[in-house]
Amino acid sequence: KAGVTQTPRYLIKTRGQQVTLSCSPISGHRSVSWYQQTPGQGLQFLFEYFSETQRNKGNFPGRFSGRQFSNSRSEMNVSTLELGDSALYLCASSLTGTSNEQFFGPGTRLTVL
Amino acid sequence: AQKITQTQPGMFVQEKEAVTLDCTYDTSDQSYGLFWYKQPSSGEMIFLIYQGSYDEQNATEGRYSLNFQKARKSANLVISASQLGDSAMYFCAMRELGSGGYQKVTFGTGTKLQVIP
């Protein structure tokens, strides 16, 4: 069974640009969560999608948005990038969202110059 | 108040020795779950062990065990017989189940474990 995949793995953008990150969950998993990891703030929850609906949202500005498609693949979009958005963005999938395990992807490392 | 507190930013352990990584949590939910994850330098988060708030027995997974003390709100990870490959960041996390079964997961700041040969 293939694991969680995230594309791209690395990304360099400049301030003011926008970026879209993609996450493909494990086959059969319907819940996808997104996290931002930075040295200063640690791991912070961004949002969770289940069956194409956003169920939970962390404390991030509206520049951060996401969506989930009918095949459970999810995308995360960040508009008007700021230097502070430089981070490792991790996606995690689980069967239902209340499962005991979340399986994480390798992450997308975003650098904003 | 911090939901998850990991008070040890870094720890050293001798190879083949056991080590305990501390984690305390704060929640008013009756039903919650506690996790430990390992993050090697490659960046990928690896699930290690899970403990449900209603589980009476401490969770064990191979060399990993979770010392769950509900009244003290602690969920320490014990790694027995440390190996060099155990060197990594370790994160404690808590899942709280709100109404409707929606989950929210909060992570601690992590403990960097270094295993010494």
Side-chain angles (χ1 to χ4, degrees), chain B residues 15-58:
Chain B
E15 194 178 5
K16 299 180 185 176
E17 296 290 311
V19 63
T20 299
L21 306 184
D22 295 340
C23 173
T24 57
Y25 60 92
D26 182 29
T27 181
S28 56
D29 286 3
Q30 295 301 308
S31 177
Y32 53 90
L34 297 155
F35 303 78
W36 278 92
Y37 287 90
K38 171 184 177 181
Q39 188 178 42
S41 55
S42 58
E44 189 163 349
M45 297 285 282
I46 302 167
F47 168 80
L48 294 177
I49 198 166
Y50 168 82
Q51 178 86 41
S53 57
Y54 293 119
D55 295 339
E56 293 185 355
Q57 304 261 12
N58 284 345

Side-chain angles (χ1 to χ4, degrees), chain A residues 36-45 60 84 87, chain B residues 2 91 107-109:
Chain A
Q36 181 197 63
Q37 187 177 26
T38 60
Q41 300 297 320
L43 268 157
Q44 291 186 288
F45 172 74
F60 277 81
Chain B
Q2 293 289 328
F91 291 94
F107 282 81
T109 52

Side-chain angles (χ1 to χ4, degrees), chain B residues 8-9 50 52 58 75 92 98 110-111:
Chain B
Q8 307 150 313
Y50 168 82
N58 284 345
C92 178
T111 295

Side-chain angles (χ1 to χ4, degrees), chain B residues 77-96:
Chain B
L77 176 71
V78 180
I79 305 174
S80 62
S82 297
Q83 301 172 356
L84 295 179
D86 293 335
S87 294
M89 281 290 287
Y90 288 81
F91 291 94
C92 178
M94 176 173 65
R95 181 194 72 210
E96 296 168 279

